[in-house]
Amino acid sequence: MASAERMNTTAAMVAHMAPSRSTTPDQLARLIDVHLGDLREEQPNWMLAPSPVAGRGVFATRDIAAGELIFRERALVVGPTARKGSQLNTCVCCHRLLASKHFLCPHHCTLPVCGECADSAAHRNECEHFQRWMPKDLTASEEQPPAKESPSEESDPQDVATKEPLGDVVNPLSLRILTAVRVFYLSKEQRALVDAMQANAERGYRQEIIKAAQCFRKFPTTDKPFMDQLFRVVGVLNTNAFEAPCRVDKHETLLRGLFPLTAIMNHECTPNASHYFENGRLAVVRAARDIPKGGEITTTYTKILWSNLTRGIFLKMTKYFVCNCDRCNDNSENGTYLSALFCREQGCKGLVIPVQTKTLQPDWRCLSCENVFPHAKMARYQDFALNTINNRINTCSVRDMIHFINELCPRFCPPSNYVLIEAKLNVIWRMTRLGAEEYAPEELAHKDRYREEILAILHKLGAGECTLKKLITEEIQ
């Protein structure tokens, strides 16, 4: 793109991003068709329509068999997640891992970029954009942006070390806003599609922008039209974007991608469709169970093996709704007891589960002695199990994790509890990714046993041919 055609002022950018929030269903369908391009089937087995669940949704135009492809979709825009713990020395364009030092753009936009991408058309606009805002140098003497309020879980950027030289430091607060900046450089129809999407007006999202603005000397915070539009874009991303794994060479990173059609699908805790991503840029959606003609095609916004309570808290805090699906109304979750904890009464080893299903602070009842416990007490035990197991996941070798799961966990956590299930998934994942040849036969046997236990839970839930099943049986690499 010639420099004369680029948007060199904030005013030009806002005009280029003309809002169209009164998009009709027909207009939305047309925008989705344009977005899908050559990936749109001539006679798709889905359509957009008003949904009794929430606003609009995706519905089957004919009977769809379990395992059948529903659609594929390229990301409309992608960028780095800048999540806590992620490797920030990853190229923002090609996503390859960079050297541990001197990996920032030579044009001083302060974005991590490889030598090949630094002068590419893909990087040019955003590079000039960040330069105009004049990023602050991250040096030992530079005062860091204040952290008066913590951002939401999804947008939790890691703390920035300030004692390293400029060439080695990436500010995750400014890095995370890159995806929103890229939206401004989409085509007119692509931007119209972004603007037609739902955006939750969460105060934390505005704080995310304010904190990012503090990373620059000339961020246009006084330009209300621009800031309102930026707030809208950040809201769309935080409401609809997915974190999708991308592997380049031997380096795997999580990308933040906006897949509009995938995002339009409504939530169900045990959905009839599931999705996975191919190298961070392509979403693939398949039927997990048979879907009848006219049935709504649903996905899940949470992890499918989370407990009722955990899913409910996540949906309330991040998606701002309370799910009322059949699974959420069954405190046994189809007999899987993913929420279960051990009874704390002396001499009783029964399982304790939440009594109510319509509250985030339920009473708990033992299935054996029938004693009732307050939520505050059981929440402490759940937090103890969660912290203990997560600490082990983050610090232990696979061999130590197997010992921990088999020998120590049964003392404080029932085998059905979702946190222990997460630990078993972690072992399966690490052993699969690292290669089976590195493990002894008995360790491989434990992995196989964990897999069968999780598959049995998925079967009880009625999850069908879901993505998790395909991942742990290695049907999806």
Side-chain angles (χ1 to χ4, degrees), residues 398 402 405-406 424-437 439-455 471-474:
V398 168
I402 290 175
I405 290 169
N406 294 346
K424 293 175 181 179
L425 277 172
N426 178 266
V427 169
I428 294 170
W429 182 249
R430 288 164 69 181
M431 292 182 74
T432 302
R433 301 293 285 186
L434 293 177
E437 68 276 4
Y439 299 99
E442 61 269 22
E443 292 164 342
L444 295 174
H446 287 307
K447 181 190 76 169
D448 291 340
R449 177 169 60 83
Y450 297 161
R451 179 191 289 121
E452 292 306 313
E453 290 173 359
I454 294 169
L455 289 175
L471 283 171
I472 64 175
T473 55
E474 299 180 53

Side-chain angles (χ1 to χ4, degrees), residues 132-153:
R132 288 196 299 275
W133 285 349
M134 295 184 64
K136 294 180 180 178
D137 294 348
L138 289 177
T139 63
S141 60
E142 187 74 49
E143 183 179 352
Q144 292 303 298
K148 295 181 181 179
E149 296 186 43
S150 297
S152 64
E153 179 183 343

Side-chain angles (χ1 to χ4, degrees), residues 247-263:
R247 193 170 184 85
V248 178
D249 301 325
K250 294 184 179 180
H251 171 58
E252 185 171 281
T253 188
L254 282 176
L255 302 183
R256 188 186 191 203
L258 183 61
F259 300 84
L261 180 55
T262 307

Side-chain angles (χ1 to χ4, degrees), residues 149-210:
E149 296 186 43
S150 297
S152 64
E153 179 183 343
E154 185 182 356
S155 59
D156 181 20
Q158 69 183 45
D159 295 331
V160 182
T162 61
K163 296 183 180 180
E164 298 183 42
L166 172 63
D168 299 330
V169 179
V170 177
N171 194 325
L173 296 167
S174 61
L175 184 60
R176 184 171 173 82
I177 207 171
L178 175 60
T179 314
V181 170
R182 286 176 171 173
V183 169
F184 285 100
Y185 293 97
L186 296 175
S187 71
K188 182 179 178 180
E189 287 182 319
Q190 289 173 323
R191 294 192 311 276
L193 179 53
V194 172
D195 210 48
M197 301 191 71
Q198 179 182 351
N200 292 323
E202 212 282 320
R203 188 169 181 267
Y205 301 166
R206 191 172 293 275
Q207 287 297 314
E208 180 180 334
I209 297 172
I210 291 171

Side-chain angles (χ1 to χ4, degrees), residues 338-349:
L338 289 166
S339 301
L341 295 167
F342 280 137
C343 182
R344 310 307 296 185
E345 285 295 306
Q346 188 172 4
C348 183
K349 290 293 185 180

Side-chain angles (χ1 to χ4, degrees), residues 183-440:
V183 169
F184 285 100
Y185 293 97
L186 296 175
S187 71
K188 182 179 178 180
E189 287 182 319
Q190 289 173 323
R191 294 192 311 276
L193 179 53
V194 172
D195 210 48
M197 301 191 71
Q198 179 182 351
N200 292 323
E202 212 282 320
R203 188 169 181 267
Y205 301 166
R206 191 172 293 275
Q207 287 297 314
E208 180 180 334
I209 297 172
I210 291 171
K211 291 176 181 180
Q214 292 167 342
C215 303
F216 301 90
R217 290 184 171 84
K218 291 189 175 182
F219 198 89
T221 52
T222 59
D223 188 332
K224 188 177 185 303
F226 169 74
M227 293 298 288
D228 286 346
Q229 190 60 44
L230 181 61
F231 178 52
R232 164 102 185 144
V233 171
V234 169
V236 168
L237 291 172
N238 285 347
T239 303
N240 299 282
F242 294 86
E243 289 190 350
C246 174
R247 193 170 184 85
V248 178
D249 301 325
K250 294 184 179 180
H251 171 58
E252 185 171 281
T253 188
L254 282 176
L255 302 183
R256 188 186 191 203
L258 183 61
F259 300 84
L261 180 55
T262 307
I264 288 173
M265 290 193 297
N266 282 312
H267 167 83
E268 191 176 3
C269 289
T270 307
N272 58 22
S274 60
H275 63 270
Y276 61 91
F277 300 99
E278 292 184 354
N279 225 24
R281 293 180 177 271
L282 183 73
V284 181
V285 177
R286 292 184 177 276
R289 306 190 299 272
D290 291 346
I291 305 173
K293 180 179 179 180
E296 182 163 7
I297 300 170
T298 57
T299 186
T300 182
Y301 300 166
T302 71
K303 291 186 178 180
I304 197 167
L305 290 179
W306 278 355
S307 68
N308 273 357
L309 205 54
T310 304
R311 295 193 319 278
I313 292 171
F314 178 84
L315 292 172
K316 183 70 173 178
M317 297 298 293
T318 65
K319 304 301 180 183
Y320 309 101
F321 72 87
V322 176
C323 183
N324 194 38
C325 71
D326 291 343
R327 178 177 170 186
C328 286
N329 286 303
D330 175 7
N331 56 9
S332 79
E333 298 192 58
N334 282 23
T336 60
Y337 298 102
L338 289 166
S339 301
L341 295 167
F342 280 137
C343 182
R344 310 307 296 185
E345 285 295 306
Q346 188 172 4
C348 183
K349 290 293 185 180
L351 297 182
V352 181
I353 63 172
V355 177
Q356 301 92 354
T357 60
K358 298 295 186 182
T359 175
L360 299 183
Q361 294 185 329
D363 294 323
W364 295 61
R365 177 180 287 120
C366 177
L367 298 177
S368 296
C369 70
E370 297 189 352
N371 277 329
V372 176
F373 304 91
H375 175 72
K377 182 176 183 178
M378 300 311 297
R380 287 197 299 271
Y381 296 138
Q382 180 64 79
D383 288 344
F384 170 79
L386 179 66
N387 293 332
T388 301
I389 292 175
N390 280 345
N391 287 338
R392 293 293 182 124
I393 288 175
N394 294 329
T395 59
C396 284
S397 67
V398 168
R399 188 165 290 108
D400 288 340
M401 275 300 300
I402 290 175
H403 173 77
F404 175 68
I405 290 169
N406 294 346
E407 304 299 328
L408 300 181
C409 282
R411 301 178 187 177
F412 63 87
C413 186
S416 63
N417 187 276
Y418 81 97
V419 180
L420 185 51
I421 300 300
E422 289 275 322
K424 293 175 181 179
L425 277 172
N426 178 266
V427 169
I428 294 170
W429 182 249
R430 288 164 69 181
M431 292 182 74
T432 302
R433 301 293 285 186
L434 293 177
E437 68 276 4
E438 299 184 19
Y439 299 99

